[in-house]
Amino acid sequence: MIELEHLTKEFRTPKKHEGLGGAFKTLFSREYTVKRAVDDLSLSIAGGESIGFIGVNGAGKSTTIKMMTGILHPTSGQCRVFGAEAHKNRQKNAQNIGVVFGQRTQLWWDLPVSESLGILRRLYQVPQARFDENLAWFKKILELDEFYLTPVRNLSLGQRMRADFAASLLHDPKILFLDEPTIGLDLVVKERLREAIKDVNKNRGTTIFLTTHDLGDIEQICGRIIVIDDGKQAFDGSQNDLRDRYGRIRRISFDLGRPGGAPLTGLPEGVTAEETPDRLVLRFPREGIRSGDLIARVVQEREVKDLAIEDPDIADIVKEIYQHS
């Protein structure tokens, strides 16, 4: 459904100089600074996948999405959506995709939500019967009724995001691009949007391409994770693949019945221990050391009330990738 081959995007900006003289020099200078936002990116996405596309600010996420939607032209390489170059078939491409940008709305500011959706229905030539079916689903899963007749300018952020999400799905797109869709939302609205995205992916077969800094979105929604760093692909695989590759350190937390005495003895090499009067935490590599052996060692020397074995979560792993990239 989406094919990127050696995709590259560069931005040229005039080189600036300080002071008044520098301003004149900049005005007439032909010197440019080149920033490569996307660097030789290649990937393939099949229909029905749910992709988490993550990276630090400036990594190239939004630039990649804008090339997939046809808004930006690649400097080199190819970006094919449904077998055609996205920027050369922008109008046709728009019929098959939905887009939600967390900081921008596609609704008309002074019109009620109902009127905005009605205009979009005519723009996308959605049959009235299908529009009514989709609207009933939106009202059920997104609870649009509470603000359906309210002008967009009077909506809260959470209400506007729900309305934008409905607008992006009005024409039954095959691909849904989501750029920070839950930014700034409270927990209730955020959970409602997550459930709606999962429902669209599971029951309608819509391909989801999600960029976000909220890694809770990634864990709940995405089956595949692509990490981009400085415009280049740093990782592509499942959540389990990510944990296996980068989440090598596991943790066992013990709640102690009473303070321990002397330091623990007999711990294998590579195991670290942090102990307070009522808690002990062991960190150890996933490979080569069995958690059962460590638990048996601790029980011999400490009074244990409870314990928990924890794998690293996605947030910790991605933070580790960012810090070492």
Side-chain angles (χ1 to χ4, degrees), residues 49-65:
E49 285 196 89
S50 54
I51 308 296
F53 194 56
I54 57 180
V56 296
N57 288 330
K61 305 185 301 297
S62 295
T63 301
T64 303
I65 282 188

Side-chain angles (χ1 to χ4, degrees), residues 106-108 111-124 126 131 134-135 138-139 142 144 147-148 152 162-171:
Q106 57 188 305
L107 306 171
W108 281 262
L111 296 181
V113 174
S114 58
E115 294 293 332
S116 288
L117 295 183
I119 292 171
L120 289 171
R121 182 192 77 79
R122 290 187 285 275
L123 285 175
Y124 283 105
V126 180
F131 174 79
N134 283 339
L135 186 59
F138 298 149
K139 288 183 175 181
L142 298 172
L144 294 186
F147 53 86
Y148 187 60
V152 172
R162 282 185 277 164
D164 266 312
F165 187 74
S168 71
L169 290 170
L170 194 66
H171 55 295

Side-chain angles (χ1 to χ4, degrees), residues 286-306:
R286 291 169 63 95
E287 297 180 1
I289 298 177
R290 297 190 303 178
S291 57
D293 295 338
L294 295 178
I295 293 170
R297 168 58 59 185
V298 171
V299 169
Q300 289 177 9
E301 301 189 28
R302 296 290 187 271
E303 181 182 317
V304 177
K305 293 195 302 183
D306 198 3

Side-chain angles (χ1 to χ4, degrees), residues 49-219:
E49 285 196 89
S50 54
I51 308 296
F53 194 56
I54 57 180
V56 296
N57 288 330
K61 305 185 301 297
S62 295
T63 301
T64 303
I65 282 188
K66 288 174 182 176
M67 286 190 283
M68 290 179 176
T69 56
I71 297 173
L72 290 179
H73 293 208
T75 302
S76 63
Q78 291 188 323
C79 176
R80 291 191 296 270
V81 181
F82 306 108
E85 294 267 9
H87 68 280
K88 294 179 181 178
N89 296 270
R90 184 173 173 181
Q91 186 172 354
K92 184 178 179 181
N93 196 30
Q95 294 285 340
N96 294 307
I97 66 173
V99 181
V100 176
F101 289 102
Q103 303 295 337
R104 297 181 179 88
T105 183
Q106 57 188 305
L107 306 171
W108 281 262
W109 197 245
D110 294 314
L111 296 181
V113 174
S114 58
E115 294 293 332
S116 288
L117 295 183
I119 292 171
L120 289 171
R121 182 192 77 79
R122 290 187 285 275
L123 285 175
Y124 283 105
Q125 301 178 350
V126 180
Q128 185 65 51
R130 184 56 184 165
F131 174 79
D132 293 340
E133 289 177 14
N134 283 339
L135 186 59
W137 182 81
F138 298 149
K139 288 183 175 181
K140 176 183 177 182
I141 197 166
L142 298 172
E143 299 183 6
L144 294 186
D145 274 329
E146 62 185 76
F147 53 86
Y148 187 60
L149 301 177
T150 304
V152 172
R153 66 175 182 274
N154 294 334
L155 300 182
S156 68
L157 177 60
Q159 290 171 334
R160 183 179 64 77
M161 288 307 304
R162 282 185 277 164
D164 266 312
F165 187 74
S168 71
L169 290 170
L170 194 66
H171 55 295
D172 296 316
K174 297 175 183 177
I175 305 173
L176 183 59
F177 293 101
L178 302 168
D179 191 2
E180 299 285 355
T182 63
I183 188 170
L185 302 185
D186 62 52
L187 293 176
V188 175
V189 176
K190 187 177 293 187
E191 188 60 32
R192 190 174 294 150
L193 269 180
R194 287 172 178 171
E195 290 301 321
I197 295 168
K198 288 190 287 186
D199 187 285
V200 166
N201 177 244
K202 180 180 178 181
N203 297 321
R204 297 191 174 197
T206 305
T207 301
I208 304 297
F209 195 90
L210 168 68
T211 74
T212 180
H213 289 293
D214 188 332
L215 295 174
D217 294 346
I218 299 294
E219 287 192 294

